[in-house]
Amino acid sequence: MPIYGLKVPNLGVLGLKSLGIEINPQSIRAALLDWESQLLVKERTYPFPPHISDSPESIVEVNPAAVVQSVLAAINELSGDIESDLEIWISGRAGGLVLADELGRAKSNFMSWKDRRAQQLTVMNKSHLDRLADQWSDPRFSQLRRELNASSMFAMLYTLADAGTLPDGVLPLTIHDFLVSHLCRQPGRMHCTLGIGLLDFQTNDWFYKALERAGLGDLWLPEITLDLGYVGEVKSGNRIIHFRPPVGELQTILLGNRLSAKEINFHLGGNPRITTIQYGNGALSQLSIPYFEQQRLISAPLSESVSIEAESLESLTKEKCRELAEQCESAATRFIDLNRFDSILISGCPAEAAGQLSESFMGRFNKSVRFSEINAGLMGLLKLAQS
């Protein structure tokens, strides 16, 4: 059975059109996906809705209705003149949280990727995040501990439960899965590529034992989907809009950049990571995450200090870039043989920083360096639509 990508018929001859939508903390980017020309058509960028301004500094929430409206505006602008049926592909960053009911009605605001309430100190001068990590000291949960950060869904759920503010009978969703659930009026699902730090990728299911240990064993959790078949549809006028399962931002960026088996990817944006295409099996299996086209990736989080998402260009001095290269090299040597790789792909950084970073990484690794295309995520969705 295909695990990470379902080969579907090419429905272009039937007039079906494809639309790709990429969602991240800065923007919502969208484009029509032209299968024949292999190009993005009518590409547009919309600002991600602002967070609710009267919240405390550590609480960063967004009205989920505003996200829905922004996505609908993108769909209408790019496909309003299309009379045929439409399929929508969505990619986005893992993490964040919306609580919803079985019909996709929001029961909370969207707890953004930038939310840091999990780091607030509680009893014994420990944060919610520290307390959750203590619950997962068992070696069986080492994969979860490694991926634990303030923006992960489990950290946010534990923080709400720890504070006594997690309601019963709600379904925890990413903002991307919430969109599909809300528009299709059905329970949300989650594709395995959005499950980093949530799923046991040996079984492709939730870490139930770990959730029980953390007092979250009674959670109602989304159904996990392993392929790319339709997960919902909605009628709009005379046409039907079909939704593919939202997929992970990291994987679509790498697919759009055509990551090779001889390349190392350093993602220096939000949730920084080091990633390669998995080669064989064995001791690295705990670092294995889903990819597409029957492949898997070896991937591990980097220190948040490596992220330059919030850095100004002025702060990216030569010294800062050298430090970043050193940190990345130190992380890489802990779990991969650098001699196996010929080049480096850097993603998640502004194009203006490419010169400084390229010089530092080439000097540190003695390998060629290339940078992610600005529209790589949407190009990854185009490749999936062509499958």
Side-chain angles (χ1 to χ4, degrees), residues 88-99:
I88 294 181
W89 296 81
I90 300 174
S91 71
R93 183 174 300 179
L97 174 66
V98 182
L99 302 176

Side-chain angles (χ1 to χ4, degrees), residues 30-248:
L32 290 175
L33 311 176
D34 191 310
W35 301 349
E36 294 185 1
S37 68
Q38 300 184 39
L39 295 174
L40 304 175
V41 180
K42 295 172 65 175
E43 191 174 346
R44 300 287 187 273
T45 300
Y46 309 84
F48 191 82
H51 64 82
I52 298 170
S53 58
D54 59 353
S55 299
E57 184 177 348
S58 62
I59 296 178
V60 183
E61 295 186 343
V62 176
N63 185 343
V67 182
V68 171
Q69 290 306 312
S70 294
V71 169
L72 287 176
I75 294 173
N76 289 334
E77 180 178 357
L78 294 178
S79 70
D81 58 348
I82 295 175
E83 297 181 356
S84 63
D85 289 351
L86 181 73
E87 66 169 13
I88 294 181
W89 296 81
I90 300 174
S91 71
R93 183 174 300 179
L97 174 66
V98 182
L99 302 176
D101 66 11
E102 70 279 3
L103 294 179
R105 294 173 295 203
K107 297 300 179 182
S108 75
N109 287 323
F110 168 51
M111 293 173 62
S112 165
W113 306 277
K114 299 179 180 180
D115 193 284
R116 291 297 178 265
R117 75 188 78 180
Q119 296 175 336
Q120 293 176 337
L121 296 180
T122 61
V123 296
M124 300 180 64
N125 209 32
K126 285 192 171 185
S127 69
H128 299 287
L129 204 58
D130 293 333
R131 284 164 54 80
L132 178 55
D134 289 345
Q135 297 292 327
W136 289 342
S137 59
D138 189 310
R140 292 177 299 169
F141 308 141
S142 59
Q143 179 181 336
L144 281 176
R145 282 174 59 91
R146 184 174 55 248
E147 296 287 352
L148 197 56
N149 61 68
S151 68
S152 73
M153 181 186 289
F154 281 171
M156 291 179 167
L157 286 168
Y158 182 82
T159 298
L160 294 177
D162 207 24
T165 57
L166 179 62
D168 294 329
V170 290
L171 189 63
L173 299 172
T174 68
I175 188 64
H176 330 93
D177 294 316
F178 166 75
L179 283 166
V180 177
S181 171
H182 180 81
L183 293 173
C184 298
R185 293 290 187 262
Q186 64 187 28
R189 304 178 191 176
M190 177 185 287
H191 190 261
C192 56
T193 53
L194 279 169
I196 299 174
L198 302 173
L199 304 182
D200 179 352
F201 291 126
Q202 307 306 307
T203 63
N204 291 309
D205 208 347
W206 298 97
F207 268 106
Y208 289 111
K209 293 291 186 183
L211 290 171
E212 290 173 5
R213 180 69 63 85
L216 299 172
D218 293 333
L219 278 176
W220 176 31
L221 296 168
E223 175 188 344
I224 302 301
T225 178
L226 303 178
D227 61 44
L228 296 173
Y230 293 140
V231 293
E233 63 180 40
V234 62
K235 190 168 178 59
S236 175
N238 293 322
R239 66 178 181 174
I240 296 176
I241 299 177
H242 304 275
F243 287 90
R244 301 287 183 180
V247 292

Side-chain angles (χ1 to χ4, degrees), residues 274-323:
I274 174 174
T275 305
T276 68
I277 292 177
Q278 182 166 346
Y279 178 78
N281 299 306
L284 294 179
S285 60
Q286 282 203 346
L287 298 176
S288 180
I289 66 171
Y291 193 36
F292 305 114
E293 299 174 347
Q294 308 308 302
Q295 292 181 307
R296 293 175 74 91
L297 300 170
I298 293 296
S299 186
L302 295 170
S303 167
E304 284 294 329
S305 63
V306 173
S307 173
I308 60 174
E309 185 172 57
E311 296 277 357
S312 66
L313 288 176
E314 292 77 17
S315 69
L316 290 176
T317 61
K318 285 189 176 182
E319 181 59 30
K320 173 68 173 178
C321 291
R322 281 197 296 267
E323 290 176 3

